[in-house]
Amino acid sequence: MTVTIIFFLLLLFMQPMVSAAQQAIPSESDYYEIVDIPIPDDIVLEVGGMDLMPNGNIAVCTRRGEVWIIENTEQLGSQPPRYKLFAEGLHEPLGLTYRDEAFYVTQRTEITRLADTDEDGRADQYETVFIRPVSGNYHEYFYGPLFTPEGDMLVTVNLAWIGHGASLSKWDGWLLKISPDGAVEPLVSGLRSPAAFAFNTAGDLFYAENQGGWVGSGNITHLEKGDFAGNPESLRWADLPGSPISLTPEDIPDSGTPLHEVARKIPQLKGPSVWFPHGIMGISTSGILPDTTGGGFGPFEGQLFVGDQGQSKVMRVYQEKVEGMYQGVVFPFREGFESGVFRMNWGQDHTMFVGMTSRGWRSTGEELFGLQRLVWNGEIPFEIKEIHARTDGFELVFTRPVDRASASDPSSYSITGFTYHYHSTYGSDIINREEAPVSRVKVAEDGRSVRLKVDNYREGYIHEIKAEGVIQQETGYPLLHPVGYYTLNRIPGGQPIVRDEERKISAPVDKGKAIEDGKDEMMRHQTTRPGDWEGGPDQVITINAAEAMTFDKTNFKVKAGSRIQLTFNNPTDLLHNLLIVASGSLPKVAEEARNMGIDGPEKNYVPDMEEVLFFTSLVGVGESESIYFTAPETAGDYPYVCTFPGHWKTMQGVMTVIE
């Protein structure tokens, strides 16, 4: 009887511990909820520009040439939002600003002031403020205006596209300042696709750039008058009156040397303040929104939120100035928006309005357009809040106190430095990749920051900083986002890390085994026909990547144990792969691929998992690859998928094995 009672008491004691252990680790949605703003069926709200009006209404211009005013976006009283058409007949407006009881819109060829002089709720005055020349090329997009404190307007002009970026019309690829009377002052050259720009809380201007010619990866860059941002196509206008730039296209070497090295010889060349590694931190950088909520949106006041159109998400950026130059770190923040994130604005209640469009630009969000709100629930997530550069490494600042044992262990961190080619080729592979070991750690007394001494700490390089081993003091939960990418433009002076409460690293820790078994990989990635396949394969399957990130064939059947040749063609303008995986494992494989970081491109975004049965390489634009494999002996459905980040939700199919 005594033994039974003791056993029963032990079960009661252990139950809370089991429950706590079984609790799900918090996710992004546990802190920031995405809330739909319903759109009437007869409105195509492809958001090109968006602004908050003084009365709390949201105004949106659409790529179809309309301006809508949206009331009751909070859906108070269970009433739906009210949409009122304010203007129409515009030419693909991609920017909208409300100022002095009027809207300023950037159409394809002009800035237009829209006013409602008779107060009937519709614009009756369309006033041209500024006209720009255009060639008619579809890619000459026009963005803005952003008003300066003095009342001037800032606008950016996209390069045209003729198989490569080109400045076909005057000031393509420039940042311009337009006075109220329409006078033009060119400020900055070298832009490629400057879809968004904004002032930070210090009043300095940043613009968002997308991967392309002369741009190895997406980024944001601090701009000042006289800067050259890197793409030489627009320098053809640098000798015009008023230009603050003295460079010519011939001055820019097309050598592939990293941009920071070229900038040492060309002082006007301004490199990115923060790089956004392609495929890892988005593929098409869009809106920039400084956190001016005073803590109303979480513990990130003064930081920047940056959207990504292609991967339908928002990222977070912390920056600092070192020796007069901006640099900083980009973190993941919130995924899962319904379409391509393009514009963001704060609401009066400190929620974030997110306007979206995907037509022609494709995104992981399945809708062609959308309008949603991002709402903070008041709970503070466990995050790396900031990363500061120090003279011998980095200092990580957390939103909550860390567990000292995990945070003081050097093996809790891994850092890798890398960069990109600076050349006319579209984009770049990761180059000059080297590990940067953490050799010492010092944890602050309050547990809210750690100092890391980093070996092989390189100025001019991007540093992938992972803190996957650090856990929260109170809950034991890991970091919500344990990785950030810090662009180290300048190494600051100051005191190196001291020896108090530090631990030297002992032996390297295995962070996970890569695909090293050559025999196993050949079986899964056989690109030549096996010599013992007399008479060839039993079945040949051809699958093409299609537009809108899909496969043209979403199912096929094979016999168990049959010999299969699968040819994957990629006629699209994006990179794709094709993995055949075990039944029921598709989401797990896709998640592992997404979390590969800078290992992803090198390993074709193929995670080292037994669930991955067969796979192709990452197939380039206009290329193809054939793989050869023996179909599984067990009948059933085996999914296939593209695991390039952001593609898996739409690029899926099923291989059915039959007896």
Side-chain angles (χ1 to χ4, degrees):
M1 177 67 101
T2 303
V3 174
T4 302
I5 294 173
I6 292 173
F7 180 71
F8 179 72
L9 291 174
L10 283 172
L11 285 177
L12 289 176
F13 174 75
M14 293 175 63
Q15 186 61 41
M17 297 175 62
V18 172
S19 298
Q22 289 177 341
Q23 285 182 339
I25 294 174
S27 64
E28 293 173 344
S29 61
D30 290 315
Y31 304 98
Y32 291 91
E33 180 186 5
I34 296 174
V35 179
D36 289 339
I37 299 176
I39 301 171
D41 292 340
D42 59 346
I43 297 176
V44 181
L45 203 76
E46 297 177 316
V47 178
M50 186 167 64
D51 203 5
L52 179 73
M53 299 177 67
N55 61 5
N57 293 336
I58 283 288
V60 170
C61 67
T62 76
R63 296 172 62 195
R64 301 200 175 209
E66 300 167 333
V67 176
W68 292 88
I69 296 175
I70 309 170
E71 302 174 350
N72 191 34
T73 55
E74 295 88 355
Q75 303 176 63
L76 301 176
S78 300
Q79 295 298 310
R82 294 181 293 275
Y83 286 74
K84 296 183 178 180
L85 183 62
F86 182 79
E88 57 187 325
L90 306 174
H91 185 179
E92 197 173 28
L94 293 177
L96 175 76
T97 301
Y98 185 81
R99 183 181 177 90
D100 299 331
E101 300 184 349
F103 290 104
Y104 290 79
V105 180
T106 49
Q107 300 191 63
R108 176 58 64 101
T109 61
E110 66 175 65
I111 302 173
T112 310
R113 182 180 183 273
L114 305 174
D116 175 17
T117 62
D118 59 8
E119 300 182 352
D120 67 348
R122 291 289 297 266
D124 51 57
Q125 184 181 79
Y126 290 61
E127 177 187 356
T128 299
V129 178
F130 168 73
I131 297 177
R132 74 178 183 107
V134 293
S135 70
N137 185 280
Y138 82 99
H139 209 251
E140 288 181 308
Y141 302 118
F142 194 30
Y143 310 103
L146 174 66
F147 279 87
T148 69
E150 297 75 28
D152 295 314
M153 293 173 288
L154 299 178
V155 294
T156 55
V157 189
N158 223 80
L159 289 179
W161 182 256
I162 53 173
H164 61 84
S167 189
L168 303 182
S169 303
K170 184 179 179 182
W171 306 130
D172 283 0
W174 285 71
L175 167 72
L176 307 175
K177 183 167 72 174
I178 313 296
S179 69
D181 62 1
V184 179
E185 181 183 358
L187 298 179
V188 173
S189 180
L191 313 182
R192 176 190 170 271
S193 186
F197 50 104
F199 294 112
N200 67 359
T201 54
D204 291 325
L205 183 69
F206 291 83
Y207 96 104
E209 186 60 278
N210 286 286
Q211 185 194 65
W214 301 94
V215 185
S217 185
N219 60 76
I220 62 170
T221 301
H222 174 221
L223 297 181
E224 300 174 285
K225 183 177 179 178
D227 284 340
F228 166 60
N231 192 302
E233 294 290 338
S234 57
L235 291 176
R236 64 175 296 193
W237 313 107
D239 60 350
L240 294 181
S243 167
I245 296 171
S246 57
L247 298 171
T248 68
E250 292 70 32
D251 293 328
I252 311 305
D254 192 4
S255 62
T257 302
L259 189 148
H260 71 274
E261 295 183 19
V262 178
R264 292 170 184 160
K265 302 176 182 179
I266 304 177
Q268 285 188 292
L269 175 58
K270 175 71 74 69
S273 307
V274 180
W275 287 97
F276 288 32
H278 189 75
I280 304 167
M281 298 302 295
I283 58 173
S284 51
T285 319
S286 59
I288 301 175
L289 183 65
D291 188 343
T292 56
T293 66
F297 193 69
F300 309 116
E301 183 178 4
Q303 299 189 22
L304 300 178
F305 293 100
V306 181
D308 188 80
Q309 192 277 330
Q311 291 189 345
S312 302
K313 65 184 181 181
V314 173
M315 295 157 287
R316 176 172 61 88
V317 173
Y318 170 78
Q319 294 190 98
E320 57 187 352
K321 254 187 176 180
V322 177
E323 297 181 5
M325 178 171 285
Y326 274 104
Q327 59 189 39
V329 58
V330 56
F331 301 99
F333 184 69
R334 187 61 165 95
E335 295 185 334
F337 292 94
E338 65 182 351
S339 187
V341 174
F342 195 53
R343 300 295 182 219
M344 298 113 71
N345 283 87
W346 295 118
Q348 290 184 327
D349 60 353
H350 297 155
T351 62
M352 182 189 293
F353 286 91
V354 181
M356 293 162 277
T357 178
S358 289
R359 173 173 55 96
W361 294 338
R362 292 189 299 276
S363 73
T364 59
E366 297 178 0
E367 303 297 329
L368 289 177
F369 54 88
L371 184 62
Q372 295 178 307
R373 294 166 60 227
L374 190 60
V375 182
W376 179 47
N377 67 4
E379 293 292 324
I380 296 178
F382 181 42
E383 294 272 41
I384 307 173
K385 180 182 178 182
E386 304 167 1
I387 296 181
H388 302 268
R390 298 299 184 223
T391 189
D392 57 352
F394 295 105
E395 180 177 14
L396 279 58
V397 179
F398 302 94
T399 58
R400 291 182 176 275
V402 297
D403 166 71
R404 300 187 70 85
S406 65
S408 63
D409 186 349
S411 68
S412 291
Y413 312 90
S414 61
I415 301 177
T416 305
F418 64 97
T419 189
Y420 297 102
H421 291 293
Y422 175 50
H423 56 192
S424 61
T425 302
Y426 197 105
S428 169
D429 294 330
I430 288 172
I431 62 169
N432 299 352
R433 173 180 171 170
E434 296 180 11
E435 300 301 313
V438 175
S439 56
R440 301 184 191 279
V441 180
K442 176 178 170 62
V443 183
E445 289 293 334
D446 62 3
R448 287 185 174 268
S449 64
V450 298
R451 279 284 304 273
L452 307 179
K453 183 179 185 301
V454 179
D455 299 332
N456 200 23
Y457 186 53
R458 291 183 290 171
E459 188 171 87
Y461 281 78
I462 309 153
H463 291 73
E464 179 188 65
I465 303 171
K466 292 184 175 180
E468 295 175 317
V470 175
I471 61 175
Q472 187 178 336
Q473 181 185 51
E474 295 179 358
T475 65
Y477 288 141
L479 287 156
L480 182 61
H481 298 107
V483 63
Y485 294 85
Y486 192 102
T487 301
L488 187 68
N489 289 321
R490 294 288 185 272
I491 296 178
Q495 296 298 317
I497 191 171
V498 295
R499 291 183 175 272
D500 292 342
E501 299 179 33
E502 66 186 34
R503 290 169 52 183
K504 291 185 179 181
I505 193 164
S506 52
V509 176
D510 184 5
K511 292 290 183 179
K513 182 178 177 294
I515 300 173
E516 297 173 342
D517 187 335
K519 181 179 180 181
D520 176 61
E521 181 167 359
M522 179 171 291
M523 292 173 62
R524 299 192 294 166
H525 185 217
Q526 174 78 43
T527 57
T528 58
R529 192 173 75 182
D532 59 353
W533 281 22
E534 296 181 4
D538 298 317
Q539 192 171 350
V540 176
I541 306 295
T542 299
I543 299 176
N544 300 307
E547 297 300 323
M549 289 190 294
T550 59
F551 292 122
D552 71 338
K553 181 177 295 184
T554 56
N555 59 79
F556 63 91
K557 294 180 180 180
V558 298
K559 289 185 177 181
S562 61
R563 300 175 300 185
I564 306 300
Q565 174 187 328
L566 189 153
T567 298
F568 179 45
N569 301 317
N570 181 17
T572 74
D573 57 359
L574 299 173
L575 297 175
H576 298 295
N577 62 15
L578 189 152
L579 281 63
I580 299 175
V581 302
S583 298
S585 68
L586 193 152
K588 179 182 176 182
V589 171
E591 180 69 12
E592 287 295 319
R594 188 178 69 88
N595 292 330
M596 290 178 73
I598 60 174
D599 289 334
E602 181 180 329
K603 297 178 180 178
N604 295 292
Y605 290 103
V606 179
D608 178 23
M609 302 172 65
E610 63 181 5
E611 290 87 352
V612 178
L613 305 181
F614 315 107
F615 62 90
T616 72
S617 303
L618 203 58
V619 178
V621 177
E623 298 178 354
S624 66
E625 182 175 283
S626 294
I627 58 173
Y628 301 81
F629 60 90
T630 300
E633 296 288 349
T634 304
D637 290 338
Y638 295 82
Y640 56 92
V641 61
C642 172
T643 55
F644 187 91
H647 293 190
W648 78 272
K649 287 188 177 180
T650 57
M651 296 193 73
Q652 296 183 19
V654 175
M655 177 182 75
T656 299
V657 176
I658 58 177
E659 295 291 351

